[in-house]
Structure formats: structure tokens, C-alpha cells
Amino acid sequence: MKAKSKDEAKSHAKAQSLDKDYKDVAVYIIHCNRTEYYYVDTDSLIRMWEQLIGYYINGVFTDEKQHS
């Protein structure tokens, strides 16, 4: 899923992480510097022009800045 705003991406990621199919699975929010879109995915693989914003697990957000 892609979103134009960080808030929209966080909302979708949180909802997806609360889904029973994604129990105990990290749902990542990634920002693409080239397109200026935010992407929500369960794959944390990022490219050089992308930045990991954070992730949700079971509805709990963890900001990536806390870990770098």
C-alpha cells in the first residue's frame, strides 16, 4: 500500500498490524525519497533512496529513530 502522508501510512499500518492474519508480524512504514510516497509492507528491505520510518507489531508503533 502506498500513501501520500505519514499519518495515512501509519493509520493503515496500525490497522493491518491489528488484523489477526498479521499477529506478531512487523508491518513497516518506508518513505521513498524519489517519489515522496510512504509505503506499508511486511518486508523491511529498503533501497538506498528509501528510509525506514518505523513499524507496528500488534498495534504498537516503534519509531526507527529510537534504534539508530
Side-chain angles (χ1 to χ4, degrees):
M1 182 261 167
K2 76 178 183 180
K4 193 65 175 164
S5 73
K6 184 193 286 189
D7 291 335
E8 181 183 359
K10 285 179 78 172
S11 175
H12 182 73
K14 183 175 183 177
Q16 186 174 350
S17 76
L18 290 170
D19 188 313
K20 67 178 182 171
D21 293 336
Y22 292 94
K23 183 172 174 52
D24 299 326
V25 174
V27 180
Y28 297 95
I29 302 168
I30 299 168
H31 181 253
C32 179
N33 294 321
R34 289 185 177 177
T35 64
E36 295 300 317
Y37 280 103
Y38 292 87
Y39 294 90
V40 175
D41 198 349
T42 56
D43 183 0
S44 65
L45 178 66
I46 61 172
R47 296 167 184 91
M48 290 181 61
W49 57 86
E50 296 174 334
Q51 175 185 11
L52 182 61
I53 302 299
Y55 57 92
Y56 279 92
I57 297 179
N58 299 329
V60 177
F61 181 71
T62 301
D63 189 347
E64 184 57 30
K65 291 179 185 173
Q66 295 174 355
H67 297 288
S68 43

